[in-house]
Amino acid sequence: MSFIEITAFLANGFVISLIIFAVTLIVGIPLGLPIAFCSMSKFAPLKAVAKTFVWIVRGIPLMLQIFIIYYVPGLLFGNPIFSQIDRYIIRNFTIPHDGGLTQMLLTNAGGLVAVLIAFAINYACYFSEIYRGGIESISKGQYEAGYVLGLTKSQVFKFVVLKQVVKRIVPPMSNEIITLIKDTALANCIMLPEIIKQAKELAATQALIWPLFYTGVFYLIFVGLLTIIFGKVEKKLSYFRS
Amino acid sequence: MALLEVKNVYKKFGKTEVLKGIDFSLNKGEVLSIIGSSGSGKTTLLRCINFLETPEQGEYYINGELLFDAKLAATYKESEIRKKRLKFGMVFQSFNLFPQYSALDNVMLALKLQIKEDIKTNKDLICKENNIKTRHQLAAYKEKLLKEAEENAIDILTKVGLKEKLNSYPCELSGGQQQRVAIARALALSPEILCFDEPTSALDPEMSGEVLNVIRNLAVDTGKTMIIVTHEMNFARDVSDKIIFMSDGVILEEGTPKDIFENPKFDRTKEFLNSIG
Ligand SMILES: Nc1ncnc2c1ncn2[C@@H]1O[C@H](COP(=O)(O)OP(=O)(O)OP(=O)(O)O)[C@@H](O)[C@H]1O
Ligand SMILES: [Mg+2]
């Protein structure tokens, strides 16, 4: 295989990595909010449930969570939902056999869904802790200053607290999001052809080891882009100190 | 009739009784200073009348009308509390400006939200009263109100000597300037009574001077009714019509500055005045 072909082969894998990345953010960022609010709730049972959930999700390796989500429905409930997704697709779609992205996605749809669920829940819990830390770091004085001006609780949150929270959570969120792109490599534990799985494929079929190291370039470029974006966001919020 | 009457206020935190039966009244245009040693309950009293704490017992009257009764506290809705607390303004020791807003926007925020809320909830009435027929006219009406609010806010900031700092963010202002923005922010809502909790204790002497001058001008020029918790005895003596000395959750002594500073009745008051210089 030529260098270009190998790059294209790996790039297909990286598209899968990016899909996991994007869906995790799109679902996880909003999903973290209700989890954060529950874990700060004054209603003790709700708070306990939320905190326990976050503790479990943050306490178990993500790889194990992927296994749990992928295998447990079949093992425990006799409902191997993700392999059923695969079977459904085989029955209803004509899958191309060109080794391209469409084939990769269609033949791995079940696993991809399982991975997306695991990632979204896992990251939502991490995000919720960042949100909680950010919200709790705002001084009582800010709320009280809002209340004595006659603002409602929700106005205080929306017009006084929110932007300060956003400013404070940008750095930890950046870290977490940069970790996320690298974590997508965990998807290869259930054989999902993300970029590192693709490189391992090349090692196995073509006896080529260097593509494995070459994958680092993809991550580096992407993380570089993210760093620039986060730098811009931080700069945009640097006009005030809180 | 007194503008404000506070009757029989009791407040405890857990088992500690902090206010043990506070009674006082204040006439319109008067300046009341509250002095007393640390932990005597001064801040707690101000927080109670600003509805930041709910006392277990006590009533407040404004112009003879019941504003708050601890027995009914559980029945007040958030919207009622919001209306009631606007009788008072509050300036905090630590300024508590909103860091993401400019000085002008700090002063404008509550006004803006009030205007928007008012137009939203009383739309029909407002349209009728102002002969507004189209959505366009309503938008223009809102614009006009916002413009007026902004002019008002600029006036107030000018009055506290910050005409040049309208667009500065709190982090670009000195402590004294920040506290003056906080005073302007409270004034903008035209409270009946403006409360200050040690407005200068976070400031060095030079900056305290400028803040104290602003408060003094409010008393002299505009005859604002004020309650000031302070450790600045000279200032309290100068500016107050009435002084309350609090000790251990009660009002030990109450009188004119002359009464308190020259003829204190209690040894506790004397000790306190000596200790503070
Ligand atoms: N939220 C609270 N929870 C428990 N105790 C409190 C609380 N707020 C105040 N206290 C206690 O109430 C007492 C009176 O406090 P307060 O702040 O009213 O005193 P102060 O007269 O304002 O003192 P200082 O001059 O130091 O500001 C103190 O003993 C304080 O520890
Ligand atoms: Mg105090």
Side-chain angles (χ1 to χ4, degrees), chain A residues 143-197:
Chain A
Y143 291 88
E144 291 182 346
Y147 295 146
V148 296
L149 294 170
L151 271 58
T152 62
K153 275 193 174 135
S154 59
Q155 285 175 330
V156 167
F157 187 77
K158 193 164 156 202
F159 297 105
V160 175
V161 176
L162 188 59
K163 199 157 194 186
Q164 298 183 53
V165 172
V166 169
K167 182 180 167 89
R168 286 185 195 192
I169 67 174
V170 165
M173 285 296 281
S174 316
N175 275 332
E176 211 56 57
I177 290 170
I178 284 173
T179 303
L180 168 60
I181 186 62
K182 292 172 292 178
D183 267 0
T184 58
L186 290 171
N188 89 51
C189 72
I190 55 166
M191 300 307 183
L192 208 63
E194 50 70 53
I195 186 168
I196 290 186
K197 174 75 173 42

Side-chain angles (χ1 to χ4, degrees), chain B residues 13 18 37-44 198 231:
Chain B
F13 293 107
V18 177
S37 50
S38 187
S40 55
K42 307 178 298 293
T43 297
T44 306
E198 301 192 31
H231 287 292

Side-chain angles (χ1 to χ4, degrees), chain A residues 139-142 144-153 155 159-161 163-164 239-242, chain B residues 47 50 52 78 82 85-86 88 90 92 96-101 109-110 113-114 117 169 171 185 189:
Chain A
S139 77
K140 222 174 85 199
Q142 289 290 309
E144 291 182 346
Y147 295 146
V148 296
L149 294 170
L151 271 58
T152 62
K153 275 193 174 135
Q155 285 175 330
F159 297 105
V160 175
V161 176
K163 199 157 194 186
Q164 298 183 53
Y239 72 91
F240 72 92
R241 266 201 304 270
S242 88
Chain B
R47 291 173 58 81
N50 278 280
L52 291 172
E78 190 196 25
R82 286 172 63 209
R85 67 166 23 128
L86 285 177
F88 302 91
M90 177 81 166
F92 300 89
N96 294 337
L97 291 185
F98 306 135
Q100 72 271 41
Y101 295 120
L109 177 66
L113 293 176
Q114 274 181 10
E117 193 177 338
Y169 288 92
C171 64
R185 181 174 71 175
L189 297 175

Side-chain angles (χ1 to χ4, degrees), chain B residues 40-265:
Chain B
S40 55
K42 307 178 298 293
T43 297
T44 306
L45 176 57
L46 275 197
R47 291 173 58 81
C48 283
I49 60 182
N50 278 280
F51 295 84
L52 291 172
E53 305 285 356
T54 312
E56 291 85 49
Q57 248 191 78
E59 291 134 49
Y60 324 145
Y61 296 84
I62 291 272
N63 291 321
E65 262 180 59
L66 182 69
L67 182 74
F68 170 85
D69 182 347
K71 288 193 285 293
L72 307 175
T75 67
Y76 295 134
K77 293 197 231 40
E78 190 196 25
S79 56
E80 283 177 278
I81 298 275
R82 286 172 63 209
K83 234 191 234 145
K84 288 170 190 288
R85 67 166 23 128
L86 285 177
K87 300 278 180 207
F88 302 91
M90 177 81 166
V91 174
F92 300 89
Q93 186 174 345
S94 51
F95 329 139
N96 294 337
L97 291 185
F98 306 135
Q100 72 271 41
Y101 295 120
S102 66
L104 183 61
D105 286 336
N106 262 277
V107 178
M108 289 270 294
L109 177 66
L111 289 172
K112 255 193 222 165
L113 293 176
Q114 274 181 10
I115 290 170
K116 285 184 187 158
E117 193 177 338
D118 191 39
I119 288 183
K120 213 166 163 189
T121 48
N122 304 319
K123 197 168 147 198
D124 295 338
L125 190 69
I126 289 171
C127 288
K128 211 163 141 201
E129 276 179 0
N130 297 283
N131 199 18
I132 292 169
K133 300 219 169 53
T134 66
R135 189 182 293 172
H136 189 72
Q137 283 173 330
L138 187 65
Y141 174 75
K142 184 166 141 188
E143 260 329 288
K144 194 188 87 186
L145 290 185
L146 288 172
K147 191 84 201 127
E148 282 168 9
E150 182 177 299
E151 279 161 16
N152 178 238
I154 294 174
D155 275 355
I156 295 171
L157 280 164
T158 307
K159 215 160 48 182
V160 300
L162 293 173
K163 193 175 162 53
E164 316 297 320
K165 299 286 180 187
L166 298 180
N167 297 314
S168 303
Y169 288 92
C171 64
E172 299 163 346
L173 298 172
S174 74
Q177 290 169 334
Q178 289 187 50
Q179 190 61 302
R180 286 185 280 152
V181 175
I183 294 172
R185 181 174 71 175
L187 278 175
L189 297 175
S190 322
E192 302 268 1
I193 299 165
L194 189 50
C195 304
F196 297 84
D197 187 12
E198 301 192 31
T200 60
S201 355
L203 301 172
D204 57 35
E206 192 190 341
M207 292 181 199
S208 328
E210 63 192 34
V211 171
L212 293 178
N213 277 333
V214 164
I215 301 175
R216 189 176 283 127
N217 289 342
L218 281 177
V220 177
D221 301 346
T222 52
K224 196 89 200 160
T225 315
M226 296 191 276
I227 303 177
I228 308 169
V229 171
T230 183
H231 287 292
E232 302 265 357
M233 292 304 142
N234 291 330
F235 174 73
R237 188 199 295 242
D238 268 17
V239 80
S240 317
D241 299 291
K242 197 179 196 176
I243 295 198
I244 281 175
F245 174 70
M246 277 183 74
S247 173
D248 216 7
V250 297
I251 295 179
L252 195 62
E253 240 180 279
E254 182 177 346
T256 62
K258 213 168 157 178
D259 295 336
I260 302 286
F261 287 105
E262 287 165 28
N263 289 312
K265 284 193 227 101

